[in-house]
Amino acid sequence: MTVDDQRLLALLRSLDDPDHWEFPRGYDHAATRTRLNRLAALLDQTFDCTCSVDRGVQDASFHGVIAIPAAATKSGDLVVVRLSNFGSLITASAGGVAGDTTDPAAGLHDEDRSRIEAAAATLGCILIPRRVLRKRYDGPTEMDDWQHLWWHRFFDYM
């Protein structure tokens, strides 16, 4: 595991609160919605397209999903970006897969990742790569048996 991966896991552990599954203590829904909308607008500009945005997420530890059309990506496939309710975290994956499987990360072209990361950074968001989110969850929150990855803790339905 790289030093960066260790730092990201330490960040995830610092945000984990077993008393707050879906969103952290002091969560500001309006600010998170604004961040999602601003990120979508930045990705529209960055990829010169119109991304679709799912703002209707409920019972989850993430706030929304932005889908970048395949025609606009170097990956040659739909790229899905999720914004967590915790700590301005985002994740991205190609192929229309949200990234909740234990399959290896596939298809996200480095240029797409860099463009997403740069847009997100302007909003103070941190891209958490799938390789980190696929690590076994070892935090204090008691989750269901099927929820065994860090992905489930911060980017999935609860």
Side-chain angles (χ1 to χ4, degrees):
M1 184 168 14
T2 69
V3 171
D4 285 341
D5 288 359
Q6 291 173 356
R7 286 186 188 138
L8 291 172
L9 276 172
L11 172 62
L12 296 178
R13 288 185 179 106
S14 75
L15 295 170
D16 196 3
D17 180 347
D19 295 327
H20 297 88
W21 284 32
E22 291 182 32
F23 43 83
R25 183 183 335 266
Y27 175 71
D28 185 338
H29 184 273
T32 305
R33 178 56 52 96
T34 297
R35 185 176 293 114
L36 177 70
N37 291 336
R38 289 181 63 202
L39 181 58
L42 284 170
L43 293 174
D44 284 351
Q45 292 173 345
T46 299
F47 285 88
D48 192 25
C49 67
T50 301
C51 298
S52 63
V53 183
D54 179 0
R55 295 175 181 87
V57 176
Q58 296 180 7
D59 302 323
S61 58
F62 69 100
H63 188 80
V65 179
I66 302 167
I68 305 168
T73 70
K74 290 288 186 182
S75 300
D77 214 334
L78 179 74
V79 172
V80 176
V81 178
R82 280 192 179 182
L83 173 67
S84 178
N85 287 329
F86 290 81
S88 304
L89 307 176
I90 68 162
T91 193
S93 59
V97 177
D100 55 349
T101 69
T102 57
D103 296 335
L108 185 61
H109 191 279
D110 285 342
E111 185 176 325
D112 291 338
R113 182 196 44 75
S114 294
R115 292 163 74 185
I116 292 166
E117 206 165 28
T122 66
L123 301 174
C125 295
I126 300 168
L127 177 68
I128 308 294
R130 283 184 65 190
R131 71 178 179 275
V132 172
L133 294 173
R134 289 176 50 244
K135 302 276 184 216
R136 181 163 281 293
Y137 176 77
D138 59 0
T141 303
E142 292 185 32
M143 299 190 299
D144 291 332
D145 290 341
W146 61 271
Q147 297 172 312
H148 59 276
L149 304 174
W150 279 100
W151 160 269
H152 298 116
R153 178 63 188 99
F154 292 113
F155 292 99
D156 204 4
Y157 292 93
M158 303 306 283

